[in-house]
Amino acid sequence: AQSVTQLDSQVPVFEEAPVELRCNYSSSVSVYLFWYVQYPNQGLQLLLKYLSGSTLVKGINGFEAEFNKSQTSFHLRKPSVHISDTAEYFCAVSDQYSSASKIIFGSGTRLSIRP
Amino acid sequence: EAGVAQSPRYKIIEKRQSVAFWCNPISGHATLYWYQQILGQGPKLLIQFQNNGVVDDSQLPKDRFSAERLKGVDSTLKIQPAKLEDSAVYLCASSPTRTSGGETQYFGPGTRLLVL
């Protein structure tokens, strides 16, 4: 079984500052990894995902994440945040060998941007 | 392309009442998911359909929750009777196929349920 830990429930940052949202996972098999974003009163939207290949994954809105197998981490980064990045961010994991494509979500990190 | 549609957006009921949520996935998407998102937590999968068959309902409280996807298109999730702990946002998502675990899921805006 897989699990996901998002170490920070809230991250406040100033506008135009860099940000890193941390995510660690646990699994006995190879995994796919995702970051989804949820803007207020909206559903989730995919930011980026790691399936295979390059460990540095680039997503929408200037976000990127790096898969580190030895550290079992998939941290999300952005070099300069904007007010519009205020949202909740969810890290998620899926078993590569599962026939059901089930995704396990972390508990989320609320990113608040201060002007 | 139209996104995943859900209705109603908000619902307030008293405990022991029943409630139903409706979801219309993106056209052509074979797989449909229902998630429960309790405040402060990530979404938890309740049930997954592939066309009109159930793939995974291991976390669906079957004594009170039921779901169906007639004709493999839209879906209904029902709670009967509701409990206070069912207060949550119910999210519907869809994806084109179920070929692997790396597929992107597309989410609707959710239905926010408050049980009093």
Side-chain angles (χ1 to χ4, degrees):
Chain A
Q2 295 84 41
S3 66
V4 177
T5 301
Q6 292 185 244
L7 299 167
D8 305 297
S9 59
Q10 294 188 62
V11 173
V13 294
F14 287 103
E15 193 172 15
E16 299 183 5
V19 69
E20 178 180 82
L21 305 184
R22 296 181 293 168
C23 172
N24 286 87
Y25 69 92
S26 173
S27 178
S28 57
V29 299
S30 295
V31 296
Y32 299 124
L33 292 158
F34 308 80
W35 276 98
Y36 280 84
V37 60
Q38 187 174 31
Y39 298 105
N41 297 315
Q42 296 185 28
L44 281 71
Q45 176 185 1
L46 181 72
L47 267 181
L48 50 80
K49 61 182 177 182
Y50 170 78
L51 301 183
S52 65
S54 173
T55 57
L56 183 62
V57 181
K58 292 190 183 298
I60 62 172
N61 301 338
F63 283 93
E64 63 180 32
E66 185 153 21
F67 170 55
N68 188 320
K69 189 174 182 179
S70 62
Q71 301 287 329
T72 61
S73 68
F74 191 54
H75 300 332
L76 181 70
R77 302 185 184 98
K78 186 170 182 178
S80 176
V81 296
H82 189 265
I83 290 285
S84 60
D85 294 322
T86 298
E88 187 137 25
Y89 293 78
F90 292 94
C91 182
V93 64
S94 176
D95 176 356
Q96 280 193 19
Y97 304 108
S98 169
S99 60
S101 66
K102 182 175 179 177
I103 290 181
I104 306 296
F105 286 89
S107 56
T109 297
R110 187 169 299 277
L111 178 62
S112 58
I113 312 297
R114 300 170 176 173
Chain B
E1 155 180 278
V4 176
Q6 290 188 247
S7 67
R9 291 295 311 274
Y10 305 92
K11 190 74 177 180
I12 300 175
I13 62 173
E14 295 191 350
K15 59 182 179 183
R16 291 188 289 272
Q17 286 186 324
S18 62
V19 64
F21 312 127
W22 174 82
C23 172
N24 191 28
I26 292 173
S27 178
H29 279 196
T31 308
L32 185 147
Y33 312 80
W34 282 103
Y35 289 88
Q36 180 191 58
Q37 186 179 16
I38 293 173
L39 188 65
Q41 300 181 20
K44 181 185 81 172
L45 180 69
L46 292 176
I47 188 166
Q48 177 183 342
F49 292 95
Q50 174 76 3
N51 296 311
N52 60 351
V54 175
V55 172
D56 185 347
D57 63 357
S58 57
Q59 296 196 85
L60 186 73
K62 298 180 186 63
D63 57 334
R64 299 183 300 104
F65 286 64
S66 64
E68 60 183 10
R69 191 184 183 196
L70 300 176
K71 301 180 181 178
V73 181
D74 55 354
S75 176
T76 303
L77 176 70
K78 296 179 181 177
I79 308 175
Q80 182 180 10
K83 292 185 175 181
L84 296 178
E85 58 261 37
D86 298 332
S87 294
V89 176
Y90 290 85
L91 295 165
C92 180
S94 68
S95 63
T97 62
R98 187 181 54 82
T99 56
S100 73
E103 199 166 61
T104 298
Q105 295 183 19
Y106 298 84
F107 285 80
T111 296
R112 188 175 300 272
L113 173 67
L114 178 61
V115 182
L116 302 176

